[in-house]
Amino acid sequence: VNPAPHLNVSRVTYIPTGETEALVGYTSLNTVSMTYTVVFSEAARRIGFRDISTPVVLSGSNIPIEVPVDAPKGAYTAGLYVNGGGCDSIYTFIIDISIPPNIVKHPVSPKGLCDGMSVLELSVEATGDGLTYQWYHNNTMIPGAQDSVYRTAYTNDLNGTYHVVIKSRSGVTVTSEPVEVESNTLMIERKWDDVLLIRNKDVLYTDYQWYKD
């Protein structure tokens, strides 16, 4: 008696909208030659998925599935029918089509930062499905900085270049434009008896009050 074909098939395959092929991963626990067919659900057929009715020899580690052009976002179910040695096995898989990430507002440089007295806050706005975030400082990953907003107590050693990488559920990533962070406090650069030269590069402070004694 021949054993039934035994595969470990990826339950869900994620792809972004606009992708025309999905690769359904699997591993085989059999050495016998196997073939497969695919039957899609009615909902999948309605948007253009086509059954694979002619048996195809199973090889490699992925089953290529043609995705309809302009297929809308959604989760589409199919049955994978595998034949090997005269025995059949059936597996269910899902092709999840989701919107890839798109940054609509990049981080901007904060102003008015004072060493030990300010909060550094950077933010990004993006659209897409199942987004995750990771912030970087001078190209080094910041542990725990995994939200659309990065906020921390500011000190001068946090100066440098920041960016954020955004990933969607389908695995597509986008990277924000880099943003510079530096102290913007007033600084006395020269001092004479009755004259002060004060650096005010961002023009955040425009009023001065002198005191005697």
Side-chain angles (χ1 to χ4, degrees):
V1 178
N2 291 323
H6 190 182
L7 304 179
N8 287 327
V9 180
S10 297
R11 173 65 176 167
V12 183
T13 299
Y14 298 97
I15 63 170
T17 52
E19 195 74 37
T20 57
E21 184 180 60
L23 298 176
V24 179
Y26 73 91
T27 55
S28 174
L29 302 180
N30 296 81
T31 58
V32 65
S33 176
M34 292 176 283
T35 61
Y36 69 88
T37 57
V38 175
V39 178
F40 283 97
S41 66
E42 286 298 325
R45 291 196 191 105
R46 279 197 297 270
I47 63 105
F49 279 98
R50 296 180 180 179
D51 295 344
I52 301 176
S53 302
T54 302
V56 179
V57 175
L58 196 64
S59 63
S61 58
N62 294 293
I63 297 171
I65 301 294
E66 183 180 352
V67 178
V69 177
D70 298 327
K73 60 175 290 187
Y76 303 98
T77 304
L80 174 66
Y81 294 78
V82 180
N83 178 274
C87 299
D88 296 307
S89 293
I90 303 173
Y91 305 89
T92 299
F93 66 87
I94 296 171
I95 295 177
D96 185 300
I97 302 175
S98 59
I99 298 174
N102 178 54
I103 297 176
V104 296
K105 186 177 180 181
H106 289 264
V108 297
S109 294
K111 295 182 178 181
L113 294 175
C114 299
D115 184 26
M117 300 175 61
S118 300
V119 173
L120 169 60
E121 181 172 305
L122 301 171
S123 64
V124 66
E125 294 182 16
T127 58
D129 290 325
L131 299 182
T132 60
Y133 304 82
Q134 179 60 63
W135 290 88
Y136 292 79
H137 176 215
N138 293 333
N139 293 320
T140 298
M141 184 178 69
I142 304 172
Q146 298 175 327
D147 203 346
S148 60
V149 177
Y150 173 59
R151 185 183 294 108
T152 189
Y154 172 75
T155 55
N156 284 338
D157 60 345
L158 295 180
N159 290 343
T161 303
Y162 289 78
H163 73 272
V164 60
V165 175
I166 304 173
K167 179 188 286 188
S168 69
R169 186 168 64 232
S170 61
V172 177
T173 62
V174 292
T175 301
S176 73
E177 296 174 357
V179 61
E180 295 296 325
V181 169
E182 58 181 336
S183 174
N184 293 320
T185 57
L186 291 171
M187 180 177 292
I188 298 176
E189 295 191 343
R190 296 286 188 277
K191 182 179 180 180
W192 295 275
D193 290 341
D194 56 355
V195 178
L196 293 177
L197 175 60
I198 299 175
R199 186 177 69 177
N200 184 21
K201 63 176 183 288
D202 287 328
V203 198
L204 291 175
Y205 308 96
T206 56
D207 295 322
Y208 302 88
Q209 177 62 58
W210 288 86
Y211 294 85
K212 181 176 182 297
D213 297 330

